Amino acid sequence: MKIFNYFGNYFSNRETFQEIIVIPVFATLLAIFLGLLLLIVSGSSNEIALKALIALFYGSFGSISSISETLTAATPLIFAALGIAVGFKAGLFNIGAEGQIILGGMAAVIIGFSFQLPFFIHLILILLVGALFGALYAFISGWLKATTGAHEVITTIMLNLIAYRLLDFFLRIPSIQKEGRNDPISKSILDTAELPRILYFLDPNLRVHMGFLIAIFAVLIVYWLIFYTTIGYEFRAVGKNLEASRYSGISPSMTIILAMSIAGLLAGLAGASQIAGVLGRATPGFSAGIGFDAIAVALLGRAHPIGVLFAGILFGALIAGGRQMQVSADVSLDLITVIQALIIIFIAAPVLIRKLFPWIFR
Amino acid sequence: MYFKKFLKISSGAFAGVLLMTINSANAFTACQVTDVGGVDDKSFNQTAWKGVQDAVAKHGIDSKLLESKSETDYEPHLNSMVNAGCDVIIAVGFLMGEATKNAAEANKDSKFTIIDFAYDPTVPNILGQVFATDQAAFLAGYVSAGVSKTGIVGTFGGINIPPVTGFMDGFAWGVKHYNKVKGKNVQVLGWDPDAKEGLFTNNFDSTDDGKAFAQNLYDEGADIVMPVAGPVGLGSASLADELGSDKLKIIGVDGDWTQTDPARKSVYLTSVLKKMDVTVLSVIESVKSGSYSGGVTVGTLENGGVGIAPYHDLSSEVSSELASEVEALRKGIISGSIVMNK
């Protein structure tokens, strides 16, 4: 029965400290431990495993440049996972962040190289348009669900596939494609549209950019939206019990469309901040699976905005640390994928964590 | 028990390992950043990595490897290698061109080499390695035209970029040359060297695409296919393996695929070799001996940087007459008496 209690509480705002902090932390530690055990079982020496562990920490938080890389990788994950978390609150499982990132990023690129505008205005515009296109793309799924009942899991997956092909198509349009290239690659955005690097004064190679600060701001906004506004209340009500909320005068259709659009808006921002802060141009693989990793981040963050912030930073740390792990210990990056997957398994089975570490829950 | 032992050994080794991890490059270290597709792609990345491993075996140097999972990895991966204190950093692939240039300009003391990219103007701390693969593919095209029973051969690429289309150009020109010499009309599907348009999977990792594209070409009558997309081509080979090599033959690219994929060696007519392993090894040696300088090196038939593999299992399909014609063509291209694009 415990598990039913657990799911009953899942979408409420009464998450205890245990649920949003302790379980994720122990899930992560356990996953890293099992990952290293896997290394040893598969024939690596203890020394390699220890080296890998040290590299994982050193590469993620061991120096200014490691922290910068961690936060750079975390930024788009936080944006997109926030969107997915909003969907969770309203009972929607949005698999479409990847497609929404692509649309948002694509729109951002076009704005980025097409207009000559002053620095600050151009930057605001690129982010707003990116967010808008992400929202419009997610709106399609929300609208289909609200009007026809089409399940959002199916429609968002299908829209992802359409987004991939749309991107291929757009990158071949001569006015978008980079001059002198036959392969699908867009022109580069202008300097005025770039998100400035926030640690530029320390070292120009530190990549962490203003998008991270905007992501923290977005966390606060979403927190306020979900827990302190009528709209947020409606999201949570519809997420808990659609029929009951209809009975009490909430329009589920409008709520679903709105929640989906906000989810897309945040994913679109993820795409725009990748373009404006890191990449500067679009290529067929620029979304890099962020939209899928973000689902894991939203789950690890227990669909709570603050949880998502920390989960995003943790996943960023795994990406940056994994890189160091391959460089220093010669351990394949694939181990990081294994660790991420293990984290998700433990998060999905919190009872397991409670059984394994009973003393921390007393 | 095991865990206790692990802890015991670990705590003792801790301090030493910590230092080793952070401050790892004492010996000469060659570092490679691969493109997406992975280091075990039996083709592009693997051939370049073999050059590093050869250097390790020959000179006892250290090596480091980072595999790119997506294009967003290029820049941070290259930076990680700079921070790891590598003596030479090998960037594998045209798509890394921009990121490598940025990294080289930000770290003028580090030495880089990149495969498939030539900078104009050149960068003093990057050595671009480019390959005249069209010369070798020309020979493969000629052989294919001679061996094909249906009179139709096909090719497809990964992405429409010069290092890929170079193969396809040469292949199509080789077939054209055969038609001219023999008065035949063998067709090439999948690439038009004049319009620069053709079939592309738009990725370098989906073996499913490799199978599907080969199937399409086969359905259109092609009995020899040259996939120019790294590991994607392994999907084409699996189709050929199912159909049998009398129905569909494959031409490998980059390395000799009968060696990298011995389980299906009966389907490979030949491979268009792009000997990145040789050039990577020689770049590492030049850095080690201090003779490294930035610029461009071009691998050709003449200097052995490109070539075609032996016909191996399918040598019975290639008549001795055809084989000697190919050998004559090779000499003709080197001497300049054969102009490919005519």
Side-chain angles (χ1 to χ4, degrees), chain A residues 33 40 46 50-51 54 58 69 178 181-183 205 207 279 281 283 288 323 326-328 333-334, chain B residues 2-3 6 17-18 21-22 64-67 69-72 76-77 80 84 94 98 159-161:
Chain A
F33 175 73
I40 293 171
N46 290 344
L50 183 68
K51 225 171 158 180
I54 293 168
Y58 179 75
E69 278 306 315
K178 189 170 179 168
R181 291 279 288 261
N182 282 318
D183 55 319
N205 289 330
R207 298 197 308 153
L279 300 168
R281 57 182 168 67
T283 49
R323 195 175 291 137
Q326 188 165 26
V327 170
S328 301
L333 279 177
D334 295 325
Chain B
Y2 189 73
F3 181 63
F6 171 75
V17 173
L18 187 71
T21 306
I22 294 161
K64 290 182 188 299
L65 172 72
L66 265 177
E67 293 180 78
K69 297 288 175 201
S70 72
E71 293 180 30
T72 50
H77 275 20
S80 290
F94 175 84
E98 223 170 302
I159 297 179
N160 192 343
I161 49 177

Side-chain angles (χ1 to χ4, degrees), chain A residues 39 44 48-49 52 322 325-335:
Chain A
L39 257 189
S44 298
I48 295 276
M325 206 171 73
Q326 188 165 26
V327 170
S328 301
D330 211 10
V331 170
S332 170
L333 279 177
D334 295 325
L335 185 66

Side-chain angles (χ1 to χ4, degrees), chain A residues 11 84 86-97 100 137-160 238-239 242 256-257 259-261 263 295:
Chain A
F11 291 117
I84 291 165
V86 170
F88 279 152
K89 290 288 180 205
L92 296 167
F93 203 1
N94 172 20
I95 314 282
Q100 294 144 21
Y137 206 56
F139 170 84
I140 299 172
S141 295
W143 177 73
L144 284 173
K145 167 125 183 166
T147 54
T148 70
H151 202 287
E152 77 280 1
V153 169
I154 309 296
T155 57
T156 50
I157 289 176
M158 294 303 152
L159 284 169
N160 281 345
V238 170
L242 193 136
I256 285 167
I257 291 177
M260 212 51 206
S261 302
I295 297 172

Side-chain angles (χ1 to χ4, degrees), chain B residues 235-257:
Chain B
S236 311
S238 81
L239 177 72
D241 199 31
E242 282 167 25
L243 293 169
S245 68
D246 52 326
K247 296 236 174 71
L248 182 64
K249 300 174 186 63
I250 301 295
I251 292 180
V253 293
D254 299 330
D256 183 344
W257 285 15

Side-chain angles (χ1 to χ4, degrees), chain B residues 31-34 78 89-93 96 100 112-116:
Chain B
C31 304
Q32 177 169 316
V33 179
T34 70
L78 289 166
I89 297 166
I90 300 135
V92 185
M96 248 181 268
T100 307
F112 292 84
T113 181
I114 182 167
I115 303 212
D116 283 346

Side-chain angles (χ1 to χ4, degrees), chain A residues 291-332:
Chain A
F292 299 115
D293 287 348
I295 297 172
V297 171
L299 285 171
L300 179 60
R302 317 290 274 176
H304 189 287
I306 308 292
V308 163
L309 174 64
F310 287 110
I313 292 174
L314 176 78
F315 265 57
L318 285 174
I319 293 168
R323 195 175 291 137
Q324 186 70 39
M325 206 171 73
Q326 188 165 26
V327 170
S328 301
D330 211 10
V331 170
S332 170

Side-chain angles (χ1 to χ4, degrees), chain B residues 139 322-334 337-338:
Chain B
L139 305 180
L322 185 61
S324 55
E325 282 168 14
V326 169
E327 185 51 29
L329 276 179
R330 193 178 76 82
K331 291 186 176 125
I333 292 170
I334 292 173
S337 64
I338 304 254

